[in-house]
Amino acid sequence: MTNASTPSGAQQTALIVSAHPLFREGIARLLGDQAQVIGSVASWQEVQGLGLVQAPDVIIVDHDSSDLQEKDLTPLLWPDADDLRVIYVTLSGDKMTVHERHQVAGAGEADLLRALKGERPGASARSTQETTASQPIYTVQPSQGRMERMDKGTDKPKYTRHFIVVSALVAVVAIISVIGLLAVPKFPQASTQALVVDWLMDLHLGVIGILFALVMVFMLYSLFVFRRKPGEEGDGDHFEGNTKLEITWTVVPLITVLIFGVIGAVTLAEVTAAQDDEMTVNVTAFSFGWQFDYPELGIEKATTLNLPVNQPVLFKLRSLDQDVIHNFYVAEFRVKQDLVPGVPTQLRVTPNVEGAYRLRCNELCGTGHTNMLAPVNVLNETDFTAWVAEQKAAVSPEALAELGAGLHASQGCIACHNVSGDPGGVGPTWKGLFGSTREFTDGTSQVADEEYLRNSILNPTSEIVTGYAPVMPANYADVLSEQQLDAIIEYLKTLE
Ligand code: CUA
């Protein structure tokens, strides 16, 4: 096979310039009989020495020879040859990369062929199409190796194969990722809201699994399959961008995000919608504890959150703190809400599975954050009614002390006051406190009787025990009911 006919009908003439004999030989070999090599020299000076009367059709210059600048050549030899074609080329192995194009349109290795054919910028695209319609632009001997790649037709099947492999891998990895993500165990569902939230969460996990597969497979495949192989030293293939791909990876994520935005808004509206027959529970948070008022039932300052099953509940949330945000969160209910100082917030939950759960503060709020817990019981109607009745009945001293022990934990006292007798807590230990003599920073002292204990809880900074800092919150008059205050004092009496 020989080259396609050039516009002039005559064979093109080529001049090869490089300081390296191997480069000159390699290019001459690649050109074969596609062009007539009229000179093969090491420098511009040698070009002069050739004494060429007419400029060659194309000058192929070694890109790695930095002293071979086109501006030095053209005025020197052929000042009038303004359409002289000079091509800078890197040769590594049998692979040729075209770096700079002069008087040649397009990009990549194919430029060399266009130059050899005498095509001009602008005209090249059209004439190429016309030529390919009837015959190949350029045919090469199999022995000419990578020169084959200049024919675009042979690139396509090669990349199509990669694309098919990558698509299959993405599909497999996506399926495994999604199955794996959905298999991660969640807390049991215990509210109607949890169903909707989990559905949306699973939808997200599905998309995350697919995205993970897309990114990882493309990256790892490229790293391994297109890595530089031993002996390869040239540059990689040159790509000028891909409009279709760029539009795809812009539009697809945009639509995905918009769809999720709409689904998210609809779900949020559904989860927070008011319902008939709501029971109100006022939730008060403080550093570091919770209490619950049931205004419709006349129950105040409960330390356990008891709820009847299948009863829609409206939680009205407020914080006693001035500067700390807490968060109301029962994992099995899924939904949660911040308690912001000065800003009343609310949350709607319909518990639908009987059981014992736990309210956790879900906002890092200080040293007692991990202790900011409260038991949550979802009860059947009989049990709930019994609990309501119990809340209103009178209590014995033993029961009071027991209640006080519970308050010690649930109201955050435990964060500073241990009951083990260990010194070194933030506040004095409660063990043996009742009846002991307290010495204060102002030099006075007093025996810890009931009145003293009540005053230290309600006005914690009025007398500071020697050795301790005045850090106790002064809001217990709001936090504790009279009965709870009695319960704590009763509990202190038992800690001898
Ligand atoms: Cu309150 Cu963390």
Side-chain angles (χ1 to χ4, degrees):
M1 296 268 250
T2 59
N3 64 310
S5 60
T6 58
S8 63
Q11 199 178 23
Q12 297 284 300
T13 53
L15 173 62
I16 305 170
V17 189
S18 169
H20 305 286
L22 282 176
F23 178 89
R24 301 200 296 270
E25 281 169 27
I27 294 292
R29 186 164 48 79
L30 280 170
L31 290 175
D33 58 359
Q34 314 298 322
Q36 183 196 351
V37 179
I38 58 167
S40 175
V41 295
S43 66
W44 291 155
Q45 283 69 30
E46 285 185 42
V47 175
Q48 263 178 308
L50 288 173
L52 295 171
V53 180
Q54 252 198 318
D57 292 310
V58 58
I59 301 179
I60 300 171
V61 186
D62 186 355
H63 180 259
D64 296 333
S65 303
S66 55
D67 55 338
L68 295 174
Q69 301 291 323
E70 185 188 359
K71 61 179 167 51
D72 301 331
L73 168 73
T74 320
L76 189 69
L77 292 174
W78 299 285
D80 301 329
D82 56 356
D83 62 344
L84 183 66
R85 295 186 297 284
V86 182
I87 305 178
Y88 283 79
V89 163
T90 302
L91 190 64
S92 104
D94 59 355
K95 178 168 159 52
M96 180 161 54
T97 307
V98 176
H99 286 276
E100 291 177 40
R101 304 175 296 279
H102 301 257
Q103 310 277 344
V104 180
E109 296 173 3
D111 285 354
L112 179 67
L113 299 176
R114 298 209 182 99
L116 286 169
K117 287 177 58 57
E119 287 174 10
R120 290 289 177 274
S124 62
R126 185 168 46 78
S127 61
T128 301
Q129 277 170 359
E130 282 167 4
T131 320
T132 44
S134 53
Q135 53 180 309
I137 304 173
Y138 187 68
T139 41
V140 292
Q141 321 270 328
S143 65
Q144 285 173 298
R146 295 295 285 270
M147 284 284 274
E148 282 175 290
R149 300 195 50 231
M150 293 172 180
D151 181 0
K152 275 200 145 184
T154 59
D155 268 8
K156 263 201 163 164
K158 184 184 162 200
Y159 285 109
T160 306
R161 188 170 57 81
H162 286 301
F163 190 74
I164 292 170
V165 174
V166 168
S167 303
L169 283 172
V170 166
V172 171
V173 175
I175 290 169
I176 295 172
S177 306
V178 172
I179 291 175
L181 284 171
L182 293 182
V184 175
K186 299 183 181 81
F187 278 100
Q189 297 171 335
S191 77
T192 56
Q193 285 78 8
L195 299 171
V196 192
V197 172
D198 283 357
W199 171 80
L200 186 56
M201 186 68 191
D202 288 348
L203 209 57
H204 275 95
L205 291 177
V207 173
I208 288 168
I210 293 167
L211 266 179
F212 175 81
L214 263 180
V215 172
M216 284 308 180
V217 170
F218 269 96
M219 186 184 72
L220 295 176
Y221 188 87
S222 304
L223 279 178
F224 285 102
V225 176
F226 298 117
R227 73 186 185 280
R228 174 174 285 186
K229 290 164 185 86
E232 258 187 4
E233 280 168 15
D235 295 340
D237 286 348
H238 179 79
F239 294 95
E240 283 286 342
N242 186 326
T243 311
K244 266 191 221 163
L245 185 62
E246 283 162 24
I247 290 175
T248 307
W249 78 37
T250 307
V251 170
V252 172
L254 180 70
I255 292 174
T256 310
V257 169
L258 287 176
I259 289 175
F260 269 99
V262 171
I263 298 177
V266 170
T267 308
L268 183 64
E270 197 178 320
V271 162
T272 55
Q275 296 174 68
D276 298 335
D277 307 327
E278 280 176 342
M279 176 178 94
T280 303
V281 176
N282 294 328
V283 178
T284 306
F286 52 90
S287 296
F288 299 96
W290 301 94
Q291 64 181 27
F292 312 98
D293 299 335
Y294 298 69
E296 291 134 11
L297 303 175
I299 296 173
E300 287 192 342
K301 300 184 175 170
T303 53
T304 299
L305 178 58
N306 282 358
L307 301 169
V309 69
N310 294 327
Q311 163 70 56
V313 181
L314 169 62
F315 292 103
K316 293 187 173 170
L317 310 168
R318 74 183 179 118
S319 170
L320 292 183
D321 290 324
Q322 300 299 306
D323 50 2
V324 174
I325 295 175
H326 303 284
N327 185 288
F328 181 96
Y329 182 55
V330 179
E332 290 84 354
F333 295 168
R334 294 294 190 278
V335 288
K336 58 177 176 176
Q337 176 63 51
D338 274 349
L339 294 96
V340 185
V343 183
T345 51
Q346 62 181 35
L347 183 68
R348 290 189 158 89
V349 178
T350 307
N352 61 357
V353 180
E354 283 178 45
Y357 311 106
R358 193 175 247 186
L359 165 62
R360 284 169 200 281
C361 176
N362 209 35
E363 195 82 60
L364 185 57
C365 54
T367 52
H369 166 70
T370 46
N371 288 323
M372 198 165 161
L373 309 164
V376 179
N377 299 307
V378 177
L379 307 169
N380 60 42
E381 212 181 320
T382 318
D383 289 349
F384 184 74
T385 312
W387 174 75
V388 171
E390 191 183 297
Q391 289 301 298
K392 296 176 175 176
V395 197
S396 68
E398 291 75 24
L400 261 187
E402 198 179 315
L403 179 61
L407 291 166
H408 175 248
S410 70
Q411 302 301 289
C413 316
I414 193 171
C416 301
H417 302 283
N418 66 54
V419 292
S420 61
D422 289 341
V426 176
T429 179
W430 279 8
K431 188 175 171 63
L433 197 158
F434 183 76
S436 67
T437 302
R438 316 304 291 165
E439 290 179 0
F440 305 121
T441 47
D442 62 2
T444 62
S445 62
Q446 186 183 347
V447 170
D449 54 13
E450 282 188 30
E451 194 191 341
Y452 163 78
L453 291 175
R454 179 177 297 267
N455 183 53
S456 345
I457 293 170
L458 298 180
N459 306 302
T461 51
S462 63
E463 292 153 324
I464 304 300
V465 174
T466 308
Y468 295 95
V471 292
M472 180 158 154
N475 60 2
Y476 283 103
D478 295 325
V479 171
L480 300 172
S481 66
E482 272 304 308
Q483 189 200 44
Q484 288 171 337
L485 212 47
D486 291 341
I488 288 173
I489 293 166
E490 211 58 46
Y491 175 55
L492 273 157
K493 288 182 189 170
T494 67
L495 297 169
E496 288 169 358

